[in-house]
Amino acid sequence: MQASASNGRVMYRGTGRRKTSVARVRLVPGTGNLTINGREGADYLQGNPAYLAAARVPLETLGLEGEYDVLVSVNGGGLTGQAESIRLGVARALCQIAPENRKPLKVEGFLTRDPRAKERKKYGLKKARKAPQFSKR
């Protein structure tokens, strides 16, 4: 995907997914602000340092912490899934900036989508695999 320019500003896009969370990430040159669904990143992720670190770690890996503002639209899932989907979206957007960014991000595992999701419930069972209690009589 090419970088898009709106209002004369260069913008890089990336989409991240994890479980049922989908994050649409835009990187624009700026001061390093993280905005999620129109709110400050620390406010949205409830100040949890692990979630904030997950969202920012691709930028830190490449040494671009204060270079880009991260604008995120995320929905679905919980905070853990959302934070990790943001991480994947940021990493994919950084790959658009320069092709040489791909290698260090790939080595760290930031370009791999975590495919684990909740298994669907089957009929005749209480959950995906849990069967009702067996009664001999």
Side-chain angles (χ1 to χ4, degrees), residues 48-66:
N48 189 322
Y51 295 151
L52 285 169
R56 290 201 166 117
V57 72
L59 291 165
E60 293 168 3
T61 301
L62 298 175
L64 301 172
E65 296 96 346

Side-chain angles (χ1 to χ4, degrees), residues 105-122:
L105 293 172
K106 184 104 172 130
V107 168
E108 293 293 326
F110 300 145
L111 293 174
T112 304
R113 184 203 188 283
D114 190 345
R116 295 176 295 169
K118 187 168 176 129
E119 191 175 341
R120 68 170 282 265
K121 181 191 175 298
K122 280 76 170 189

Side-chain angles (χ1 to χ4, degrees), residues 27-34 53 55-70 90 94:
L27 293 181
V28 293
T31 58
N33 295 330
L34 174 64
R56 290 201 166 117
V57 72
L59 291 165
E60 293 168 3
T61 301
L62 298 175
L64 301 172
E65 296 96 346
E67 303 286 322
Y68 294 95
D69 287 341
V70 182
V90 169
L94 288 170

Side-chain angles (χ1 to χ4, degrees), residues 5-21:
S6 62
N7 303 339
R9 293 174 56 177
V10 178
M11 183 185 316
Y12 302 94
R13 296 176 187 267
T15 303
R17 294 182 187 86
R18 167 80 161 79
K19 290 190 170 182
T20 58
S21 299

